[in-house]
């Protein structure tokens, strides 16, 4: 996969499940959701999203199905049990008891625990007293749920023929790495997939990784991806010969701009939809290999200038989010910039971002609108909710 806009052929999605039913006003902030989603409606909206992709010839692989298939392998099952149980949280005796229990459940049951978590009330009964059990509320989590699995873009990203499994920053998301590792290591479709290994060495998330053109990556550096993570991935793709230029793009460390794809996404081979306040403020450091295993860094320079130079085009066309500052801010918050390209000039976007979608259409971009009133409660749009696995080359 060499771009953001080559015709999309296969994608990994996660249909919302019981992990979203774990959200309460007591824990939704900790679990990174701004409100409590109506799960049935979120599932219906996600089904409609998947149907739009299928209608355009995209093969949709659902993460839960992939995880269950992977866990049929005994080695994956053992690794899944290890990933689920935290000795530091449960203590040795309770951890051993839970491991013993999970070792005996089938692939579907273990997958459900890995995704939806387990409360102390749901732990298997055990003989003897347990201070850990007694001092935790029955509805506290012995195994944390992973409601952000919905946003499959962040937990892994494909670059050329390699997959980078992310090192996720926020505590609520770190165990997602283990889930994706299991899928890519043991699912028959991915068993022989090569890894972009550098992503494990420092925090980096797929929402910050953008394939601007063949051999050219942009990596946002902000709330979720560190400079060390961006440099690590750059060194990895240079060593593997799958990129020649990486742009490290500093972004504001805030909830509204948690990833690069919250302020900018590609909608055509030479066009982006971008939050207007970012147009002039975004900068980029340009990283290139030295040829002897090192990396040279230049800049910073204006992002749009650095991107056009790296892509070897005259300029990058910019379509602004919204028509005025207030609308732009509202539609940026509602993921107006977070589009998923199905082909050059064809994108999926939330229907509620009316003015941004009109501006895209006026610029010659076909917009396939989807509902997202419940899906967006975790702050993510169509790009966030999709991990492209295969695109045709440009």
């Amino acid at each position: 996969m060499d771009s953001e806009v080559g015709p999309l052929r296969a994608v990994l999605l996660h249909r919302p499940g019981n992990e979203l039913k774990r959200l309460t006003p007591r824990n939704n902030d900790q679990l990174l959701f701004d409100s409590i989603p109506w799960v049935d409606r979120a599932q219906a909206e996600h089904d409609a999203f998947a149907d739009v992709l299928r209608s355009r010839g995209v093969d949709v692989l659902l993460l839960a199905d992939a995880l269950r298939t992977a866990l049929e392998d005994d080695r994956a099952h053992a690794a899944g049990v290890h990933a689920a149980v935290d000795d530091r949280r449960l203590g040795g005796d309770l951890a051993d008891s839970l491991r013993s229990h999970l070792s005996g459940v089938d692939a579907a049951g273990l997958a459900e625990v890995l995704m939806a978590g387990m409360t102390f009330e749901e732990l298997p009964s055990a003989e003897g007293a347990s201070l850990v059990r007694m001092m935790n509320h029955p509805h506290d989590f012995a195994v944390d749920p992973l409601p952000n699995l919905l946003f499959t873009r962040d937990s892994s990203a494909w670059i050329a023929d390699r997959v980078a499994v992310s090192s996720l920053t926020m505590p609520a998301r770190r165990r997602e790495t283990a889930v994706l590792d299991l899928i890519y290591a043991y699912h028959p479709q991915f068993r022989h997939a090569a890894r972009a290994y550098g992503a494990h060495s420092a925090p980096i998330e797929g929402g910050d990784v953008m394939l601007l053109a063949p051999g050219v990556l942009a990596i946002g550096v902000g709330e979720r991806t560190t400079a060390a993570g961006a440099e690590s991935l750059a060194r990895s793709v240079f060593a593997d010969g799958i990129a020649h230029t990486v742009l490290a793009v500093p972004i504001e460390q805030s909830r509204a701009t948690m990833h690069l794809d919250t302020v900018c996404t590609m909608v055509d081979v030479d066009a982006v939809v971008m939050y207007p306040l970012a147009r002039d403020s975004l900068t980029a450091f340009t990283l290139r290999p030295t040829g002897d295993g090192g990396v040279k860094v230049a800049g910073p320079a204006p992002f749009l200038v650095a991107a056009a130079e790296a892509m070897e085009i005259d300029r990058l066309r910019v379509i602004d989010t919204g028509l005025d500052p207030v609308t732009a801010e509202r539609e940026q918050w509602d993921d107006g910039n977070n589009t998923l390209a199905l082909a050059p000039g064809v994108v999926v976007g939330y229907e509620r971002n009316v003015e941004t979608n009109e501006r895209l259409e006026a610029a010659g971009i076909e917009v396939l609108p989807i509902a997202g009133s419940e899906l967006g409660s975790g702050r993510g749009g169509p790009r966030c909710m999709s991990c492209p696995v295969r695109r045709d080359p440009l």
Side-chain angles (χ1 to χ4, degrees):
M1 190 156 53
D2 64 3
S3 77
E4 293 286 322
V5 298
L8 183 60
R9 297 304 179 203
V11 68
L12 179 67
L13 305 183
H14 178 59
R15 185 179 190 266
N18 289 329
E19 67 279 353
L20 287 192
K21 295 179 180 179
R22 301 293 201 180
L23 292 165
T24 68
R26 184 167 54 93
N27 65 27
N28 69 293
D29 285 343
Q30 179 184 350
L31 293 174
L32 309 180
F33 272 69
D34 293 322
S35 61
I36 311 302
W38 178 9
V39 178
D40 289 347
R41 179 61 59 83
Q43 290 174 331
E45 290 174 353
H46 195 273
D47 290 343
F49 174 41
D51 286 344
V52 167
L53 301 186
R54 294 187 184 104
S55 74
R56 292 298 178 113
V58 180
D59 180 20
V60 174
L61 176 64
L62 296 177
L63 184 146
D65 293 341
L67 180 58
R68 285 189 286 267
T69 298
L71 290 172
E72 294 289 349
D73 187 298
D74 290 342
R75 297 165 299 172
H77 195 284
V81 171
H82 177 77
V85 181
D86 184 351
D87 287 69
R88 292 174 299 177
R89 172 177 297 190
L90 301 178
D93 289 345
L94 194 53
D96 286 343
S97 174
L98 180 55
R99 265 191 291 268
S100 177
H101 168 73
L102 293 178
S103 294
V105 304
D106 61 13
L110 180 57
E112 183 66 13
V113 171
L114 286 169
M115 294 184 294
M118 179 178 275
T119 64
F120 279 90
E121 184 178 54
E122 295 165 345
L123 286 173
S125 58
E127 296 180 3
S130 169
L131 180 65
V132 179
R133 277 180 183 269
M134 295 175 67
M135 293 193 67
N136 276 278
H137 188 278
H139 294 160
D140 287 343
F141 295 117
V143 180
D144 284 333
L146 298 176
N148 294 279
L149 277 175
L150 172 64
F151 306 118
T152 56
R153 175 75 61 156
D154 297 331
S155 47
S156 67
W158 286 79
I159 305 166
D161 60 348
R162 295 175 178 267
V163 61
V165 177
S166 301
S167 176
L168 294 155
T169 303
M170 306 301 280
R173 302 198 66 178
R174 286 176 187 161
R175 199 165 51 78
E176 291 179 42
T177 296
V179 170
L180 272 296
D181 264 332
L182 289 170
I183 290 171
Y184 289 125
Y186 295 103
H187 191 282
Q189 182 172 335
F190 303 118
R191 192 168 289 157
H192 301 295
R195 299 295 183 99
Y197 57 87
H200 275 294
S201 61
I204 192 161
E205 300 193 2
D208 282 316
V209 178
M210 200 168 295
L211 309 179
L212 297 180
V216 181
L217 272 66
I219 303 176
V221 177
E223 185 190 48
R224 305 293 179 89
T225 295
T226 65
E231 183 175 355
S232 174
L233 184 56
R235 289 179 180 276
S236 176
V237 297
F238 293 156
D240 292 334
I242 55 177
H244 57 74
T245 305
V246 169
L247 304 179
V249 184
I251 55 177
E252 182 182 354
Q253 297 193 34
S254 71
R255 177 71 169 152
T257 57
M258 71 183 83
H259 292 125
L260 180 60
D261 66 7
T262 63
V263 295
C264 172
T265 53
M266 293 200 71
V267 296
D268 206 342
V269 293
D270 64 344
V272 295
V273 58
M274 180 178 278
Y275 184 39
L277 290 182
R279 176 200 282 261
D280 297 322
S281 61
L282 275 189
T283 60
F285 293 87
T286 300
L287 285 68
R288 290 190 172 94
T290 59
D292 59 0
V295 172
K296 56 185 176 183
V297 182
F303 168 71
L304 293 173
V305 173
E309 178 184 341
M311 297 167 69
E312 297 183 344
I313 60 177
D314 291 337
R315 67 183 182 89
L316 198 56
R317 290 190 293 136
V318 178
I319 302 160
D320 288 339
T321 315
L323 294 170
D324 60 78
V326 173
T327 301
E329 186 175 3
R330 285 172 55 87
E331 298 203 359
Q332 185 274 329
W333 177 254
D334 285 336
D335 300 297
N337 303 290
N338 197 262
T339 61
L340 170 66
L342 303 190
V346 181
V347 302
V348 180
Y350 279 149
E351 63 184 1
R352 66 188 177 209
N353 295 309
V354 175
E355 293 191 10
T356 298
N357 293 344
E358 288 177 351
R359 292 182 67 82
L360 287 164
E361 295 277 5
I365 307 300
E366 180 185 1
V367 179
L368 306 175
I370 62 168
S373 61
E374 300 303 313
L375 290 176
S377 59
R379 299 266 63 81
R383 187 181 192 271
C384 288
M385 293 188 297
S386 56
C387 175
V389 172
R390 189 174 71 254
R391 290 184 184 270
D392 288 344
L394 289 176

